[in-house]
C-alpha cells in the first residue's frame, strides 16, 4: 500500500483506544511477519484481513487496489455454457470481415478503425452469445452502448447474421447513396440497428448511468416494469480521461444501480500512444471505481499465465506485474523472448529462477497473446460475476492487446489507431492464424474477399439460436407503433390567451404554470418528466415538490426541515421530478433517456428540462447533439434567458448566444417567445408534433428549445386577428400596428416595422410609442418567436426553387406589403435576428447585445448594449433618414435628447 493510501497518524490519534495492550499485540504480530517473511507477505496478510472484515460487514475503509491479477481465480471460473469451438469460428469470421470492410473502403479515402474491435472481439462475442438480451426478452431487453470505434465488428456480426449484405459493407462510411453504413453508432442514420450514439467519447458512460437510473425510475413509477433490463457500456481505457466518463460514478453506486455494467477495454492505448505510459491505468481505474462504491472485476491474464502464477511461490511475479508501467507492457508485446527474460524476469532473482523453467514459446504465448479479454472463459466469468452482483454497479477491467490477430505490424503499435488497411500478405497471415477457409484465389485483383460460412452453416445457426434464446437480434432499435398521446384540453392552453391584466408575470412563470396544469391531466400527466439541476426555486417550481414528489430510490428517510410548510421538500420512491443537483451534464443525460423512452421502452415520456440558459447550450451542446442523434423528443427550457435580463449576475450568467448555438442543430426547434400565450401555443404545437398527430412531412423526432425570462411584466391578451397561431409556430406575426395601438399617427407619416423577440418586444413597444409621440413616425410591432425557424423555412424554399418548385419563404409572405424599412432586435447578439436578413425584401437592420455581459441593472445593461427603447428610436430614425423619410438632423437630436 502506497503512502497516499496510508492512514495519517493524526487521524488515528483522534480515535480512543479501548485496549492498548491488544492493539500492541496486533502491531507486534505485523512487525514479526514483516521481519520473518518480508513486507510483501505482511501486506498480503493485511489485504486478506481487510477483505475478510469487509465480507463480514465490518465498516472499514475499502481497499482501493488489489494485486495486478484476475479478480476471479481460475479455479472459481464457471464453464462457458455453449460451443466454444463454434464461438471461436464466429469470432474469427467477424474479425476478418471487420478488417476487410475497412480495408476495402480505404481505396475511397473514407477511413475506418480496425484495431479497436480486434482487441475487443471476445468482449462483444461473449455478450452476444450469453448475456445481451434482445428486444423480445422480458421488459425491454438490454441497452448496449457500443464503443464507437468498434462499429466495424458489429457490422461484421450483423453481416454473418444476415442483417447486412456485402453491398452495405462496401458502403461503410459512404451513406449518400442511401444504402451505406455510418462510421459509428448513429440512430438517425441507421435507426433499425443503433440505439445510442457513442463515439463522442465520455458521453456514452455518462448516458449509460442515467439510462440505468431512468430504467429504475420507470419501474418505480409504475410506467413499465423494466427491472430485467441491463445496461452495458463498452468503453476504452483512454476514454476514461474524459471528465463525463466518471462524472456520475457516485450516483450509480449511491442508488445501487446493479442493472449497470461498464466493460472497459484496457488495451493500454489511447489514439496516439499509451494511456498511462509511466503508470498503470487498470490500477488507477480500479481505485477510482472502488472509491466511488462500484464492484470491480479485473480480467487481465489468460489461461497461459496459470502456470506462471503456480510457480510464483514468493509473490515475486505479482510484485513485478504491479510495478511494470503500461508502456513497458506494450514493449513486451513487440519484443522477443530474450528481451523479456532480461527486462522482466531479470529484475528479481526469484523471477530469474522461474524463467529457467519456461520455454521461449511459453514466454511469448504469455506476453504476446494471453490476455483476459481474449478468452471466452475469462470474459464469461467476469460477465457472470457482474450480473450476479447485487447492490452496486460493476465495472469489468478487461486487459487486451490493441490490434490483436492483425499481425505484428498492428499489435500494440502506437500508430495502429490511424492504420486503416492490411496488405494482402497480412490478410493471408491473419487467415492462417484464424484458420479460416479462404483460398488465395479468392483474392481477385488484390481485393480482399468477405468471408461467410453460409446461411445454413453451423456457425450461423448457432449464432441465430443463441440470439433467439436471448430475445432476438442485438443491437437493435425498435420503432414502436405507439398510439398518439391524447391532447390536453384546449382550455389548458387557452387560459393564457386572455393575458394577465395588471398582474406582472414572467414567461418563466408562465411556462411553469402551464406545466402544472398539464401534469394534472388524467391521461397524460404522469408521462411528464420534470428535470431541474438544483434551481427549482429559482424557476418557481417548488410548488411541484409536494404534489409530484422528487424521485429517490430510498424515498424520504428523514423529516424535511420545511415539513410544516405548504410547499415542503418531498422525496418519494415514485416521485416524478428528477432534481439532479448541480449538474447540467447529468440533467441532460436524464433528458436523453426520458426523451427516447418511446423507442427504448415503447413508452412515450414528455421530459422538460429547465435550466439557466447560459449553462445549457454553452456547457452541454455536445449532449444536445447526442439528443438529436438519438432522435429524442421533449422540451428544453432556457430560463433566466438573455444578455441583459438577469440583473447583477454578470458576464458568466449573461446569455447572448444560446439561440445561435441552438440554430446549428438540425433537430432543435428554437423559440424565443415574448408572451405567455406564445409559450402556450408553442408547447401545444410541440406536443402535437412530437407525441400526437404530426402533419405529413413533419419529423416528430425533434426537440424544442424555448428561452424564457425572469422579468415580470404584464402579459397582453392574444391579438384577435387571423393567422396569429400559425405565425407563432412558424416564427413571425404582427402583434399590432401603430393604429391598433391607439397611437393615431398623422397622415402619410413615415413608417417602420419593428421586429422583436422575447423580452425585447417590450422595448419595441416602448419605442413604438416614442416614435409616434415624439417624432411623428408610425411603427408596427412584430413578434419574432423563432428567427431560426424562419431561416430554416427560407432555406427549404431556396432548395425547392433549385428543384424547379415555386415556393416563397414564410418570412417574405408575412412581411409582404409592410411599409418602410425593418428594424429587428433581441436580447441576444445581432447574429440571432440577422439569420433572416437575406430573405427580407425591405431595407433591413438589426440591434443586439454583442460582446461580453456585465453586472448592472437591466436598464443600464440595455443602454450599454444599445438595445433599449431610446436606442431603438435612434436606430429607427437613422434608417428612415437614409431613405430621406425624416430629416437627417432628427437622428442627432434624438441622440442628444436621450443622452446616448
Amino acid at each position: 500500500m502506497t503512502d497516499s493510501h496510508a492512514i495519517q497518524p493524526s487521524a488515528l490519534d483522534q480515535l480512543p483506544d479501548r485496549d492498548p495492550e491488544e492493539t500492541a499485540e496486533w502491531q507486534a504480530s505485523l512487525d514479526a511477519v514483516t521481519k520473518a517473511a518480508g513486507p510483501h507477505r505482511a501486506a498480503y496478510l493485511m489485504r486478506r484481513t481487510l477483505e475478510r472484515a469487509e465480507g463480514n460487514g465490518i465498516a472499514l475503509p475499502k481497499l482501493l487496489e488489489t494485486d495486478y491479477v484476475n479478480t476471479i481465480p481460475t479455479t472459481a471460473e464457471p464453464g462457458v455454457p455453449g460451443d466454444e469451438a463454434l464461438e471461436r469460428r464466429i469470432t474469427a469470421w467477424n474479425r476478418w470481415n471487420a478488417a476487410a470492410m475497412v480495408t476495402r473502403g480505404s481505396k475511397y479515402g473514407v477511413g475506418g478503425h480496425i484495431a479497436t474491435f480486434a482487441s475487443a472481439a471476445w468482449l462483444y462475442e461473449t455478450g452476444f452469445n450469453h448475456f445481451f438480451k434482445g428486444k423480445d426478452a422480458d421488459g425491454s431487453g438490454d441497452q448496449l452502448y457500443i464503443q464507437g470505434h468498434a462499429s466495424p465488428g458489429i457490422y461484421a456480426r450483423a453481416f454473418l447474421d444476415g442483417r447486412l449484405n456485402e453491398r452495405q459493407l462496401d458502403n461503410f462510411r459512404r451513406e449518400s447513396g442511401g444504402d451505406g453504413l455510418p462510421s459509428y453508432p448513429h440512430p438517425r442514420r441507421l435507426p433499425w440497428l443503433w440505439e445510442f450514439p457513442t463515439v463522442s467519447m465520455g458521453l456514452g458512460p455518462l448516458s449509460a448511468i442515467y439510462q440505468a437510473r431512468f430504467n429504475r425510475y420507470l419501474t418505480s413509477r409504475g410506467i413499465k416494469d423494466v427491472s430485467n433490463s441491463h445496461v452495458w457500456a463498452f468503453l476504452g481505457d483512454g476514454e476514461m480521461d474524459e471528465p463525463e466518463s466518471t462524472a456520475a460514478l457516485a450516483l450509480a453506486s449511491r442508488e445501487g444501480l446493479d442493472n449497470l455494467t461498464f466493460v472497459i477495454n484496457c488495451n493500454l492505448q489511447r489514439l496516439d500512444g499509451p494511456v498511462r505510459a509511466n503508470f498503470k491505468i487498470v490500477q488507477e481505474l480500479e481505485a477510482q471505481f472502488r472509491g466511488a462504491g462500484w464492484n470491480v472485476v479485473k480480467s487481465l491474464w489468460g489461461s497461459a499465465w496459470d502456470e506462471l502464477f503456480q510457480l510464483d511461490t514468493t509473490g515475486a511475479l505479482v510484485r513485478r506485474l504491479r510495478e511494470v508501467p503500461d508502456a513497458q507492457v506494450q514493449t513486451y508485446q513487440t519484443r522477443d523472448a530474450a528481451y523479456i527474460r532480461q527486462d522482466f524476469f531479470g529484475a528479481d532473482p526469484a523471477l530469474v529462477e522461474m524463467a529457467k523453467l519456461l520455454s521461449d514459446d511459453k514466454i511469448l504465448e504469455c506476453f504476446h497473446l494471453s490476455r483476459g479479454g481474449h478468452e471466452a472463459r475469462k470474459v464469461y466469468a467476469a460477465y457472470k460475476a457482474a450480473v450476479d452482483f447485487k447492490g452496486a454497479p460493476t465495472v469489468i477491467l478487461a486487459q487486451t492487446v490493441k490490434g490483436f490477430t492483425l499481425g505484428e505490424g498492428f499489435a500494440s503499435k502506437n500508430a495502429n489507431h490511424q492504420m486503416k488497411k492490411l496488405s494482402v500478405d497480412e490478410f493471408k497471415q491473419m487467415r492462417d492464424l484464424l484458420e479460416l477457409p479462404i483460398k488465395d484465389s479468392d483474392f481477385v485483383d488484390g481485393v480482399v474477399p468477405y468471408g461467410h460460412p453460409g446461411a445454413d452453416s453451423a456457425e450461423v445457426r448457432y449464432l441465430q439460436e443463441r440470439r433467439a434464446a436471448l430475445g432476438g437480434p442485438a443491437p437493435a432499435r425498435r420503432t414502436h407503433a405507439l398510439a398518439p398521446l391524447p391532447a390536453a384540453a384546449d382550455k389548458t392552453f387557452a387560459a393564457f390567451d386572455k393575458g394577465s391584466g395588471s398582474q406582472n408575470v414572467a414567461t418563466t412563470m408562465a411556462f411553469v404554470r402551464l406545466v402544472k396544469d398539464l401534469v394534472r391531466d388524467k391521461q397524460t400527466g404522469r408521462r411528464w418528466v420534470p428535470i431541474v439541476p438544483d434551481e427549482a426555486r429559482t424557476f418557481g417550481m417548488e410548488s411541484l415538490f409536494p404534489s409530484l414528489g422528487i424521485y429517490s430510490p430510498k424515498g424520504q428517510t428523514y423529516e424535511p426541515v420545511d415539513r410544516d410548510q405548504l410547499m415542503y421538500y418531498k422525496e418519494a420512491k415514485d416521485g416524478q421530478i428528477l432534481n439532479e443537483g448541480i449538474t447540467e451534464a447529468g440533467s441532460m443525460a436524464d433528458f436523453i433517456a426520458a426523451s427516447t423512452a418511446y423507442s427504448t421502452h415503447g413508452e412515450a415520456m414528455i421530459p422538460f428540462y429547465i435550466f439557466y440558459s447560459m449553462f445549457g447550450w454553452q456547457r452541454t451542446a455536445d449532449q444536445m447533439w447526442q439528443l438529436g442523434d438519438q432522435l429524442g423528443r421533449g422540451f428544453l427550457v432556457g430560463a433566466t434567458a438573455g444578455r441583459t435580463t438577469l440583473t447583477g449576475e454578470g458576464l458568466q450568467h449573461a446569455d447572448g448566444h444560446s439561440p445561435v448555438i441552438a440554430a446549428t442543430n438540425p433537430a432543435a426547434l428554437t423559440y424565443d417567445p415574448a408572451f405567455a400565450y406564445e409559450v402556450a401555443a408553442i408547447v401545444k404545437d410541440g406536443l402535437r408534433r412530437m407525441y400526437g398527430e404530426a402533419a405529413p412531412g413533419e419529423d416528430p423526432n425533434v426537440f424544442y428549445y424555448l428561452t424564457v425570462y425572469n422579468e415580470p411584466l404584464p402579459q397582453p391578451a392574444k391579438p384577435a386577428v387571423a393567422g396569429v397561431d400559425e405565425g407563432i409556430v412558424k416564427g413571425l406575426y404582427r402583434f399590432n400596428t401603430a393604429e391598433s395601438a391607439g397611437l393615431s399617427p398623422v397622415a402619410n407619416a413615415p413608417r417602420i416595422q419593428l421586429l422583436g423577440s422575447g423580452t425585447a418586444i417590450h422595448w419595441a413597444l416602448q419605442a413604438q410609442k416614442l416614435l409616434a409621440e415624439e417624432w411623428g413616425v408610425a411603427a408596427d410591432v412584430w413578434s419574432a418567436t423563432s428567427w431560426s425557424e424562419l431561416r430554416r423555412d427560407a432555406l427549404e424554399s431556396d432548395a425547392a426553387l433549385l428543384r424547379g418548385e415555386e415556393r416563397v419563404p414564410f418570412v417574405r409572405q408575412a412581411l409582404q406589403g409592410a411599409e418602410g424599412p425593418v428594424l429587428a432586435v433581441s436580447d441576444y447578439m445581432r447574429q440571432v435576428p440577422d439569420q433572416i436578413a437575406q430573405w427580407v425584401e425591405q431595407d433591413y437592420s438589426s440591434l443586439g447585445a454583442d460582446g461580453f455581459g456585465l453586472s448592472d441593472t437591466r436598464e443600464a445593461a440595455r443602454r450599454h448594449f444599445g438595445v433599449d427603447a431610446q436606442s431603438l428610436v435612434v436606430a429607427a430614425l437613422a434608417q428612415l433618414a437614409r431613405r430621406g423619410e425624416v430629416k437627417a438632423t432628427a437622428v442627432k437630436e434624438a441622440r442628444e435628447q436621450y443622452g446616448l
Side-chain angles (χ1 to χ4, degrees):
M1 186 175 291
T2 64
D3 291 341
S4 62
H5 296 149
I7 299 176
Q8 298 300 316
S10 59
L12 288 176
D13 293 342
Q14 297 180 56
L15 302 176
D17 191 343
R18 297 182 179 180
D19 192 341
E21 185 176 344
E22 183 183 36
T23 302
E25 290 175 357
W26 278 82
Q27 292 171 334
S29 297
L30 181 63
D31 292 343
V33 170
T34 303
K35 183 177 181 179
H40 299 296
R41 177 62 181 170
Y44 176 86
L45 292 176
M46 286 299 299
R47 286 196 297 271
R48 287 290 181 262
T49 302
L50 288 172
E51 288 171 358
R52 174 59 62 89
E54 182 179 342
N56 289 336
I58 299 174
L60 286 173
K62 290 183 179 294
L63 280 171
L64 295 185
E65 291 183 30
T66 59
D67 285 326
Y68 202 67
V69 296
N70 295 347
T71 302
I72 303 169
T74 302
T75 55
E77 292 171 357
V80 180
D83 190 324
E84 291 190 56
L86 274 178
E87 291 181 20
R88 278 195 299 275
R89 294 214 295 274
I90 291 169
T91 306
W93 286 117
N94 292 340
R95 288 181 182 279
W96 177 272
N97 288 323
M101 179 195 330
V102 176
T103 297
R104 286 167 68 125
S106 66
K107 66 181 179 181
Y108 301 105
V110 294
H113 301 286
I114 305 176
T116 294
F117 177 72
S119 66
W122 275 112
L123 302 180
Y124 290 107
E125 195 58 41
T126 302
F128 284 130
N129 285 328
H130 302 289
F131 292 94
F132 304 158
K133 295 185 285 292
K135 294 297 182 183
D136 296 324
D138 291 342
S140 303
D142 289 355
Q143 288 82 56
L144 308 180
Y145 288 77
I146 304 295
Q147 192 177 1
H149 293 135
S151 60
I154 308 304
Y155 290 141
R157 195 174 203 276
F159 170 65
L160 205 65
D161 193 13
R163 294 201 288 163
L164 292 175
N165 56 43
E166 285 194 17
R167 183 173 181 276
Q168 289 171 301
L169 296 193
D170 264 348
N171 285 332
F172 173 61
R173 291 195 170 201
R174 295 193 298 138
E175 299 178 75
S176 59
D179 199 21
L181 302 178
S183 309
Y184 305 120
H186 205 305
R188 191 169 285 276
R189 290 297 183 213
L190 202 61
W192 60 268
L193 181 71
W194 297 120
E195 271 196 295
F196 308 107
T198 52
V199 82
S200 188
M201 286 187 280
L203 300 191
L206 179 66
S207 291
I209 289 173
Y210 281 90
Q211 181 67 58
R213 196 283 199 88
F214 190 74
N215 290 356
R216 291 281 175 84
Y217 172 90
L218 285 179
T219 302
S220 297
R221 290 196 55 223
I223 302 291
K224 183 178 182 179
D225 184 358
V226 292
S227 54
N228 287 325
S229 291
H230 200 89
V231 178
W232 300 81
F234 288 84
L235 317 167
D237 47 0
E239 180 176 5
M240 302 311 293
D241 285 346
E242 292 283 5
E244 296 90 349
S245 295
T246 55
L249 298 187
L251 167 73
S253 61
R254 184 170 66 243
E255 300 206 359
L257 297 181
D258 51 22
N259 61 337
L260 170 68
T261 298
F262 276 15
V263 181
I264 302 182
N265 177 18
C266 298
N267 57 35
L268 313 185
Q269 287 183 252
R270 56 165 69 109
L271 306 187
D272 293 314
V275 178
R276 294 290 184 272
N278 296 298
F279 306 93
K280 301 191 79 64
I281 185 60
V282 168
Q283 299 300 91
E284 178 182 320
L285 291 175
E286 179 183 30
Q288 191 171 16
F289 278 86
R290 283 187 184 276
W294 286 53
N295 176 44
V296 179
V297 177
K298 294 195 290 192
S299 182
L300 307 181
W301 308 110
S303 55
W305 284 83
D306 291 348
E307 179 183 342
L308 274 67
F309 288 125
Q310 288 297 317
L311 295 172
D312 186 28
T313 57
T314 66
L317 177 62
V318 172
R319 292 196 299 274
R320 182 64 176 144
L321 288 174
R322 182 163 180 154
E323 69 189 20
V324 174
D326 284 351
Q328 191 64 21
V329 173
Q330 298 296 89
T331 299
Y332 294 149
Q333 179 69 34
T334 63
R335 303 301 291 268
D336 59 21
Y339 178 89
I340 298 171
R341 284 181 186 277
Q342 178 181 350
D343 190 87
F344 181 84
F345 291 97
D348 187 295
L351 293 180
V352 171
E353 294 303 311
M354 178 188 294
K356 292 177 180 178
L357 305 176
L358 304 174
S359 67
D360 285 355
D361 287 343
K362 182 65 176 181
I363 289 175
L364 293 179
E365 180 187 14
C366 288
F367 284 84
H368 285 193
L369 303 175
S370 190
R371 299 290 188 274
H374 293 325
E375 293 187 15
R377 184 183 180 92
K378 304 293 184 184
V379 176
Y380 181 88
Y383 284 9
K384 191 171 190 308
V387 297
D388 288 348
F389 191 86
K390 301 304 176 185
T394 294
V395 58
I396 295 169
L397 304 174
Q399 186 161 273
T400 65
V401 174
K402 193 167 186 177
F404 188 63
T405 73
L406 297 181
E408 294 181 359
F410 267 83
S412 292
K413 295 297 175 66
N414 283 340
N416 61 19
H417 184 77
Q418 301 301 326
M419 298 163 70
K420 311 299 183 186
K421 59 183 178 180
L422 277 69
S423 68
V424 170
D425 288 340
E426 288 171 326
F427 266 110
K428 290 178 179 179
Q429 293 171 11
M430 182 181 179
R431 171 201 62 190
D432 296 341
L433 175 65
L434 299 176
E435 300 179 342
L436 291 173
I438 296 173
K439 303 184 293 292
D440 286 355
S441 59
D442 292 334
F443 292 82
V444 180
D445 297 327
V447 177
V448 57
Y450 293 119
H452 199 294
D456 195 41
S457 64
E459 292 96 325
V460 173
R461 287 200 307 272
Y462 180 85
L463 181 157
Q464 294 175 341
E465 287 168 1
R466 292 305 310 140
R467 290 311 317 153
L470 288 165
R477 180 180 180 275
R478 281 279 173 88
T479 302
H480 297 270
L482 298 179
L485 292 184
D490 283 340
K491 64 179 182 181
T492 304
F493 305 99
F496 294 85
D497 292 351
K498 61 185 180 182
S500 64
S502 60
Q503 181 183 6
N504 290 335
V505 177
T507 51
T508 298
M509 185 53 65
F511 178 83
V512 172
R513 287 182 183 178
L514 174 63
V515 170
K516 285 174 64 177
D517 291 338
L518 290 171
V519 296
R520 293 192 186 104
D521 185 90
K522 292 182 179 179
Q523 292 183 292
T524 61
R526 66 197 294 263
R527 296 191 175 274
W528 282 85
V529 184
I531 302 168
V532 60
D534 199 41
E535 290 282 0
R537 297 183 190 277
T538 299
F539 308 134
M541 290 176 59
E542 68 271 24
S543 61
L544 297 177
F545 289 172
S547 58
L548 301 183
I550 299 166
Y551 170 73
S552 170
K554 287 184 174 294
Q556 193 151 35
T557 60
Y558 60 92
E559 183 177 354
V561 67
D562 53 0
R563 183 64 180 86
D564 58 342
Q565 298 178 16
L566 181 63
M567 293 183 288
Y568 69 96
Y569 196 85
K570 176 187 175 183
E571 296 189 77
K573 291 182 179 180
D574 61 350
Q576 193 165 349
I577 300 170
L578 293 173
N579 193 5
E580 289 304 349
I582 306 174
T583 168
E584 284 83 8
S587 298
M588 269 306 301
D590 263 340
F591 188 90
I592 292 169
S595 70
T596 54
Y598 73 91
S599 173
T600 308
H601 295 298
E603 296 288 344
M605 305 300 288
I606 312 171
F608 81 87
Y609 163 36
I610 189 167
F611 50 90
Y612 268 80
S613 67
M614 185 65 163
F615 304 141
W617 286 90
Q618 175 157 308
R619 280 196 174 187
T620 56
D622 197 11
Q623 287 179 284
M624 290 160 180
W625 275 97
Q626 179 189 6
L627 167 64
D629 292 345
Q630 203 166 313
L631 289 77
R633 305 170 184 174
F635 297 96
L636 297 175
V637 184
T640 59
R643 180 150 280 166
T644 70
T645 305
L646 186 57
T647 56
E649 295 289 349
L651 187 153
Q652 291 185 327
H653 287 66
D655 171 21
H657 54 276
S658 71
V660 177
I661 306 175
T664 65
N665 191 309
L669 277 61
T670 303
Y671 287 89
D672 187 24
F675 305 124
Y677 66 80
E678 293 179 353
V679 172
I682 294 165
V683 171
K684 180 181 180 181
D685 193 69
L687 290 172
R688 175 200 60 79
R689 177 170 178 172
M690 295 185 291
Y691 300 97
E693 297 284 0
E698 276 187 330
D699 183 3
N701 299 314
V702 295
F703 60 93
Y704 284 64
Y705 174 54
L706 281 72
T707 48
V708 292
Y709 299 81
N710 70 330
E711 186 171 14
L713 292 165
Q715 294 295 324
K718 183 165 70 172
V721 295
V724 172
D725 287 332
E726 179 189 24
I728 291 172
V729 172
K730 289 190 173 181
L732 182 67
Y733 70 95
R734 183 154 47 196
F735 175 73
N736 70 14
T737 63
E739 291 78 8
S740 66
L743 297 174
S744 302
V746 298
N748 300 318
R751 187 173 289 270
I752 189 167
Q753 308 298 319
L754 301 179
L755 276 58
S757 69
T759 198
I761 202 168
H762 297 284
W763 320 332
L765 289 169
Q766 295 170 35
Q768 178 190 44
K769 185 176 181 181
L770 291 174
L771 283 166
E773 294 178 349
E774 300 181 6
W775 304 99
V777 173
D780 301 337
V781 175
W782 299 70
S783 180
T785 54
S786 179
W787 308 99
S788 61
E789 284 304 291
L790 291 173
R791 177 180 175 82
R792 187 170 290 165
D793 170 79
L795 290 171
E796 292 171 358
S797 297
D798 286 354
L801 287 172
L802 293 176
R803 297 193 300 267
E805 303 172 17
E806 289 295 328
R807 183 171 168 183
V808 179
F810 180 79
V811 63
R812 189 169 295 168
Q813 295 178 46
L815 290 171
Q816 187 174 14
E819 298 177 34
V822 172
L823 175 61
V825 64
S826 77
D827 202 11
Y828 300 94
M829 57 197 301
R830 288 178 60 184
Q831 190 173 338
V832 173
D834 283 351
Q835 291 179 82
I836 66 170
Q838 73 187 79
W839 293 280
V840 176
E841 293 181 315
Q842 295 88 341
D843 291 340
Y844 187 91
S845 65
S846 64
L847 296 177
D850 287 79
F852 290 110
L854 76 165
S855 301
D856 215 312
T857 64
R858 290 182 180 130
E859 293 75 15
R862 287 162 187 170
R863 177 56 59 91
H864 169 80
F865 287 109
V867 293
D868 60 354
Q870 292 78 11
S871 298
L872 273 170
V873 169
V874 173
L877 292 174
Q879 268 189 290
L880 292 168
R882 285 194 295 271
R883 295 162 58 94
E885 297 181 19
V886 301
K887 294 179 179 179
T889 56
V891 180
K892 182 173 183 290
E893 291 172 11
R895 195 164 51 240
E896 292 175 351
Q897 178 177 328
Y898 300 135
L900 297 179

